[in-house]
């Protein structure tokens, strides 16, 4: 009776063998793919900024050619072969982010061309005022809660009191009117992640959870956005950062979101 062919290392037929270590050529290819992935991530952020400027009217031309070049580069990277699981996940997350941004860019460009695009200007103004309030020196005086009500009551009492002419018969001294104080900025609005960023982060997070065989039932992009909005202000305050980026990482067999403060 013929014997089954011997397995490497004397393993029994049907046994699961550990993955073979990468060769020198494979390590070099992995490093090259990692560098390419990092470069495309930076390019994606730059194209995102260009589209923001175009939609705001700061740029006249849509960066369509740059978007198409980025699309082809991301597609080539996605089809590249690598045995590194972490790198494969990073490439898939980059591809998902690009698709989410592309859908948003194309829709917004069509609306802008049709004259129906309306950006949330008020939210942008509040965000700018929040940044100004955050940079204000700590020693600068601010209005305390209830100051407006106290000023209203004080004004009502002054109106009811007799004027100097009624009390003494002497007209009051005239002089230059006092200058009004600087306007007080409104309170900083809650942190809100962009629609495209939230969708890309959510897609990558759900994909990682599925790979880790975790339950993704009940997860929604809206719920993720609300959760991040509650956590980001504390992170900014703790690390004295200007913004926060989130990355999907796998720790102890579970997919989690890791906050990366940026100065």
């Amino acid at each position: 009776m013929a014997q089954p062919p011997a397995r490497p290392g004397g393993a029994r037929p049907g046994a699961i063998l550990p993955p073979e270590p990468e060769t020198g050529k494979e390590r070099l290819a992995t490093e090259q793919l990692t560098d390419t992935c990092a470069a495309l991530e930076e390019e994606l952020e730059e194209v995102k900024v260009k589209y923001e400027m175009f939609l705001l009217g700061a740029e006249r031309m849509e960066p369509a050619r740059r978007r198409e070049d980025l699309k082809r580069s991301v597609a080539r990277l996605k089809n590249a072969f690598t045995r590194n699981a972490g790198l494969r996940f990073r490439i898939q997350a980059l591809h998902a982010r690009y698709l989410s941004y592309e859908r948003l860019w194309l829709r917004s460009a069509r609306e802008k061309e049709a004259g129906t695009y309306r950006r949330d200007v008020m939210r942008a103004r509040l965000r700018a005022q929040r940044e100004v309030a955050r940079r204000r020196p700590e020693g600068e005086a601010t209005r305390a809660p209830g100051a407006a009500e106290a000023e209203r009551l004080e004004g009502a009492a002054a109106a009811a009191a007799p004027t100097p002419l009624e009390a003494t018969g002497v007209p009051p001294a005239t002089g230059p009117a006092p200058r009004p104080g600087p306007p007080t900025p409104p309170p900083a609005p809650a942190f809100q992640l962009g629609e495209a960023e939230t969708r890309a982060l959510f897609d990558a997070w759900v994909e990682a959870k599925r790979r880790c065989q975790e339950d993704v039932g009940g997860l929604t992009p809206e719920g993720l956005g609300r959760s991040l909005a509650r956590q980001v202000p504390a992170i900014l305050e703790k690390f004295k950062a200007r913004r926060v980026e989130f990355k999907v990482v796998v720790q102890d067999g579970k997919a989690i979101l890791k906050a990366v403060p940026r100065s």
Side-chain angles (χ1 to χ4, degrees):
M1 182 176 181
Q3 297 293 332
R7 304 284 291 178
R12 298 189 308 274
I16 300 177
L17 299 178
E20 298 180 1
E22 289 185 335
T23 63
K25 183 180 296 185
E26 290 177 340
R27 280 197 299 270
L28 179 60
T30 299
E31 293 176 358
Q32 292 176 349
L33 289 177
T34 302
D35 295 340
T36 303
C37 185
L40 291 180
E41 288 172 346
E42 294 181 0
E43 176 68 10
L44 177 59
E45 291 300 321
E46 293 180 5
V47 174
K48 175 188 172 186
V49 172
K50 288 293 183 181
Y51 262 97
E52 288 287 335
M53 296 175 65
F54 166 71
L55 295 175
L56 285 172
E59 294 283 348
R60 294 185 178 181
M61 298 296 295
E62 177 186 358
R65 177 174 297 181
R66 195 168 179 179
R67 170 176 54 80
E68 289 297 330
D69 293 342
L70 177 61
K71 181 178 182 179
R72 287 191 291 267
S73 299
V74 172
R76 285 195 299 267
L77 180 64
K78 184 177 182 295
N79 294 330
F81 173 77
T82 176
R83 293 195 301 171
N84 189 303
L87 181 57
R88 283 202 308 269
F89 172 76
R90 183 178 178 182
I91 293 174
Q92 291 172 356
L94 173 62
H95 183 254
R97 286 178 58 199
Y98 172 80
L99 292 180
S100 298
Y101 282 135
E102 184 185 41
R103 287 193 294 267
L104 177 62
W105 294 336
L106 294 178
R107 184 180 71 245
S108 300
R110 287 195 301 267
E111 293 176 355
K112 183 178 178 67
E113 184 178 357
T116 59
Y117 179 75
R118 295 293 183 272
R119 188 172 181 85
D120 194 350
V121 180
M122 182 59 67
R123 180 178 298 177
R125 290 177 179 175
L126 291 178
R127 190 179 298 112
Q129 291 174 350
R130 177 190 63 182
E131 183 67 17
V132 172
R134 189 186 66 82
R135 294 183 178 181
R136 173 173 297 182
E138 297 181 357
E140 187 173 346
T142 56
R143 298 179 65 183
E149 181 65 17
E151 291 174 0
R152 187 184 66 81
L153 294 177
E154 182 179 356
T163 63
L165 178 61
E166 295 173 351
T168 63
V170 180
T174 60
R179 294 182 179 180
T184 303
F191 171 86
Q192 290 187 353
L193 202 63
E195 177 185 352
E197 295 179 358
T198 302
R199 169 59 64 176
L201 185 63
F202 177 79
D203 293 342
W205 184 41
V206 169
E207 178 65 21
K209 281 186 170 293
R210 287 174 177 167
R211 288 179 174 274
C212 295
Q213 298 182 353
E214 295 184 63
D215 183 20
V216 297
L219 299 180
T220 61
E222 294 77 12
L224 176 61
R226 289 192 298 268
S227 177
L228 296 181
R230 290 192 299 267
Q231 300 177 28
V232 166
I235 298 175
L236 294 176
E237 179 66 23
K238 179 179 179 181
F239 295 96
K240 305 300 181 183
R242 297 181 57 186
R243 59 190 179 93
V244 179
E245 295 180 357
F246 290 91
K247 294 184 178 180
V248 181
V249 298
V250 177
Q251 292 183 356
D252 299 329
K254 293 185 178 180
I256 62 174
L257 295 178
K258 182 179 180 181
V260 182
R262 301 293 187 185
S263 58

